[in-house]
Amino acid sequence: LSRRVRRRRTSLLVVSWMPMPREEWNGNSHYKPRYRPHDGSDADWKEMDVNDPYAKKFTITLDDDDAQPFQPYLVQVRAVDEQGIATVIPEVVEGYTGEGVSSAIVDVFAVEEMPSLKNTVGW
């Protein structure tokens, strides 16, 4: 693997959503993904603009110097157009930062068959 693939991704938060249907646009439509740590505090939301009305995914690079692997964040994506922010309040979901570098090699890996939609994995 190249070094680029192996580097830590703990400072990334990947957000995806369903784009608004074209017939609901009201000129200059775009999205404002926003996030804040989900640590029990009332930290201010940090937000950015995604100017592509067809966009359905955005990767946020966190400015937290101490971002840890699999850290929880609250995430929301708001639709915006020339009239302002959409009146529909979007759902707030919990998202997690990326995984870090493995700290151990998995040596005893097992999958136990379960009903068709579930599997138990262990190591």
Side-chain angles (χ1 to χ4, degrees):
L1 296 173
S2 71
R3 288 180 194 211
R4 189 175 67 220
V5 174
R6 286 182 168 176
R7 72 186 174 110
R8 291 180 55 171
R9 298 289 195 183
T10 59
S11 63
L12 298 181
L13 193 60
V14 179
V15 180
S16 59
W17 61 90
M18 293 290 296
M20 284 191 323
R22 173 68 179 102
E23 55 273 2
E24 293 182 16
W25 295 0
N26 190 18
N28 197 23
S29 293
H30 62 282
Y31 303 99
K32 282 192 173 284
R34 62 188 205 151
Y35 68 96
R36 69 180 183 189
H38 189 206
D39 57 5
S41 70
D42 276 341
D44 290 334
W45 288 95
K46 294 182 182 179
E47 66 181 26
M48 60 282 317
D49 289 311
V50 176
N51 293 317
D52 178 1
Y54 295 102
K56 56 185 174 182
K57 183 177 179 182
F58 185 74
T59 300
I60 298 169
T61 301
L62 302 169
D63 56 3
D64 301 338
D65 291 332
D66 58 347
Q68 298 297 313
F70 214 60
Q71 193 171 12
Y73 280 82
L74 295 177
V75 180
Q76 184 181 56
V77 178
R78 301 186 300 171
V80 181
D81 62 22
E82 291 175 351
Q83 300 297 314
I85 296 173
T87 57
V88 175
I89 298 172
E91 181 180 3
V92 175
V93 297
E94 187 174 51
Y96 292 86
T97 56
E99 298 176 4
V101 176
S102 298
S103 60
I105 296 173
V106 176
D107 57 359
V108 180
F109 182 81
V111 176
E112 181 180 319
E113 286 191 37
M114 299 292 284
S116 62
L117 297 176
K118 295 183 179 181
N119 288 318
T120 300
V121 179
W123 58 89

